[in-house]
């Protein structure tokens, strides 16, 4: 029992981290899989999700749940507009992939600095979703952690059902497998690229909202989360939803164990070591199929 | 139904179609014959909107379509059945077919069309839950045609459907194309190198060389020998 209790706590915290990381990285992998864009602004969307929630909670004294929904409702159209305004004009020109990197990198810097100006650079905190602690014998878990787990799993399930069962989701998978084939059947690729970008921005925003109570919201959050999401997505296989999901849980679990037994300091080095090992064996990541 | 007037298309630097004009009437099967690299496939891609022409115009049912994006052209009722298949390898056979009915007009009819495709190609019904990449070459060709049928089109442009198939399968594919034309009333443009079988199922034929149409006639009047010796050699 003495060994078991901390072990189970570590596993639970690994599951929570994994599900948060899965939501955090999913937008990045969707945009790559469907539009072949590596979106460097993804971290900025995560950061802005946090900013919106903080702003709505503290300035308008809105309830956390309402702020979460509003934050997402704002980021979805923002993602749509970004695609239409910045990426759509470049898509039919040569060197799109490189130009898209420069544009999204520029957007990340712009959104980061705009956040500094609008919200200030002070560290911000958001209260936990709910307070309280659930006890089961010697195990304890906060209500906040349970809520986080429920929300993230619900989002991931929703996404999976959406991609598998709806016509729109199937069309997204179709584009990632053969864009010319998708054109041939009459799919309006430009509209689906915009939709994917909007969905990715909203997913990024939700993850920003969900991780905000665990960490401080600082201007650096954008780059830190992007950095983590990049490792997760490359580890799982660029463009693969399944790979990103499994990668997020493996790396989340690893993080929980390392921070418990070795200390937080070792998390990043260990992630990299594992990533390098995987890339040696599978150069495209666990489930990568891109050519 | 389809009127193509003096189109010129470039493939990068290559002038692939030079002043090409032709017409297709309702209910016809029209064949385009010629050697590889002489513009037949480019012609189909141009008509379907995959490779818009630089000059000239294309009218479908009396309305200009050559300035439209491809998804609008599919909406108007032209569907392209590509040579290199362009199926969705990791979707199931059924999902591939449903994607064929993506456009709004076809979505309403997709269950009916799906049944029609299964009737035409029973093997697809047997394999409907299989991933497309696990199909054989012949089955993939049938799925490509089946996916095209799902869009409730009026005009189907088929690019070398017999390429890479065993002789027996080639015959089957040609028979099916004729069947689609006769039973569904679909107008068909067919690009091929198999002169004999193509002329057997088509009403009219055009022969292409160097990006131009060199002659045209009713399929019965076209000489298999002449085409094979002079234009396919």
């Amino acid at each position: 029992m003495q060994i078991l209790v901390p072990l189970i706590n570590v596993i639970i915290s690994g599951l929570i981290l994994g599900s948060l990381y899965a939501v955090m990285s999913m937008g990045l992998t969707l945009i790559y899989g469907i539009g072949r864009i590596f979106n460097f602004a993804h971290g900025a969307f995560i950061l802005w999700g946090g900013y919106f929630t903080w702003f709505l909670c503290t300035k308008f004294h809105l309830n956390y749940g309402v702020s979460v929904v509003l934050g997402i409702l704002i980021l979805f159209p923002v993602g749509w507009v970004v695609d239409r305004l910045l990426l759509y004009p470049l898509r039919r020109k040569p060197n799109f992939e490189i130009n898209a990197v420069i544009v999204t990198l520029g957007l990340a810097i712009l959104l980061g600095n705009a956040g500094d100006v609008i919200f200030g650079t002070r560290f911000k905190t958001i209260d936990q979703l709910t307070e309280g602690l659930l006890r089961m014998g010697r195990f304890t878990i906060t209500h906040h952690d349970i809520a986080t787990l429920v929300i993230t799993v619900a989002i991931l399930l929703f996404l999976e059902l959406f991609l598998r069962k709806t016509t729109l989701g199937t069309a997204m998978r179709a584009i990632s497998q053969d864009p010319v084939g998708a054109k041939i059947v009459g799919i309006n690729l430009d509209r689906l690229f915009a939709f994917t970008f909007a969905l990715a921005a909203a997913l990024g925003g939700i993850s920003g909202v969900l991780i905000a109570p665990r960490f401080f919201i600082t201007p650096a959050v954008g780059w830190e989360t992007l950095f983590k999401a990049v490792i997760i997505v490359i580890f799982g296989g660029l463009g693969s939803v399944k790979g990103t999901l499994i990668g997020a849980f493996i790396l989340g679990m690893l993080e929980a164990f390392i921070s418990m037994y070795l200390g937080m300091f070792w998390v990043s080095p260990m992630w990299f070591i594992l990533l390098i090992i995987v890339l040696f064996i599978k150069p495209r990541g666990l489930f990568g199929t891109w050519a | 139904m389809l009127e193509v007037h003096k189109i010129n298309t470039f493939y990068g630097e290559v002038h692939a179609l030079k002043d090409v004009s032709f017409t297709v009437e309702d209910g016809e099967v029209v064949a385009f014959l010629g050697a590889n690299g002489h513009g037949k496939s480019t012609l189909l891609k141009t008509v379907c909107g995959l490779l818009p022409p630089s000059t000239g115009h294309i009218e479908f049912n009396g309305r200009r379509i050559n300035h439209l994006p491809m998804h609008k052209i599919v909406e108007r009722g032209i569907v392209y059945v590509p040579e290199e298949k362009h199926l969705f390898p990791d979707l199931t056979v059924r999902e591939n077919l449903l994607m064929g009915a993506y456009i709004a007009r076809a979505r309403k009819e997709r269950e009916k069309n799906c049944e029609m495709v299964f009737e035409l190609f029973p093997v697809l019904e047997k394999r409907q839950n299989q991933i497309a990449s696990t199909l054989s070459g012949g089955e993939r060709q049938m799925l490509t045609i089946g996916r095209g049928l799902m869009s409730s089109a009026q005009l189907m442009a088929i690019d070398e459907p017999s390429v890479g198939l065993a002789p027996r399968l080639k015959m089957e594919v040609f028979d099916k194309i004729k069947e689609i034309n006769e039973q569904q009333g679909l107008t068909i443009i067919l690009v091929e190198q198999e002169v004999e079988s193509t002329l057997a199922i088509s009403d009219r034929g055009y022969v292409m060389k160097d990006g131009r149409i060199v002659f045209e006639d009713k399929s019965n009047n076209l000489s298999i020998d002449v085409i094979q010796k002079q234009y396919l050699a």
Side-chain angles (χ1 to χ4, degrees), chain B residues 21-64:
Chain B
S21 303
F22 66 95
T23 56
V24 176
E25 299 300 327
D26 210 347
E28 272 188 316
V29 177
V30 175
F32 284 85
L33 298 158
N36 261 337
H38 283 259
K40 305 185 311 290
S41 292
T42 308
L43 182 72
L44 282 199
K45 287 180 185 155
T46 301
V47 169
C48 301
L50 205 54
L51 208 63
S54 337
T55 60
H57 68 259
I58 304 172
E59 271 180 29
F60 182 63
N61 288 334
R63 290 160 78 193
R64 228 181 110 176

Side-chain angles (χ1 to χ4, degrees), chain A residues 74-114:
Chain A
I74 295 167
L75 276 166
F76 188 90
V78 166
W80 192 289
V81 169
V82 163
D83 182 80
R84 277 283 145 166
L85 230 54
L86 301 177
L87 296 166
Y88 172 80
L90 295 175
R91 207 165 263 133
R92 46 212 71 223
K93 304 232 167 76
N95 288 329
F96 172 64
E97 294 196 10
I98 294 296
N99 291 342
V101 166
I102 294 165
V103 163
T104 58
L105 209 48
L107 180 67
I109 295 168
L110 179 79
L111 285 176
N113 291 348

Side-chain angles (χ1 to χ4, degrees), chain A residues 163-164 166-168 170-171 173-175 177-189 192 289, chain B residues 49-50 70-71 74 79-82 85-91 95-96 99-100 102-103 107 110 147:
Chain A
L163 289 173
R164 296 270 147 214
T166 67
T167 304
L168 195 56
T170 311
R173 286 188 291 142
I175 295 177
Q177 291 169 27
D178 195 323
V180 176
K183 248 181 135 171
I184 287 169
V185 298
I187 294 172
N188 182 348
L189 295 197
L192 276 193
T289 50
Chain B
L50 205 54
M70 188 151 188
H71 64 97
V74 181
V79 70
Y80 176 53
V81 177
K85 316 305 185 255
H86 286 303
L87 290 171
F88 306 117
D90 294 332
L91 299 189
E95 284 173 329
N96 265 282
M99 279 296 106
Y102 184 82
I103 53 163
R107 223 177 274 196
R110 68 184 193 183
R147 188 182 68 180

Side-chain angles (χ1 to χ4, degrees), chain A residues 185-214:
Chain A
V185 298
I187 294 172
N188 182 348
L189 295 197
D190 289 323
R191 191 193 282 171
L192 276 193
F193 287 145
F195 176 80
T196 306
F197 216 91
L199 181 67
L203 281 169
I206 303 174
S207 74
V209 172
L210 290 169
I211 58 177
R214 317 194 129 239

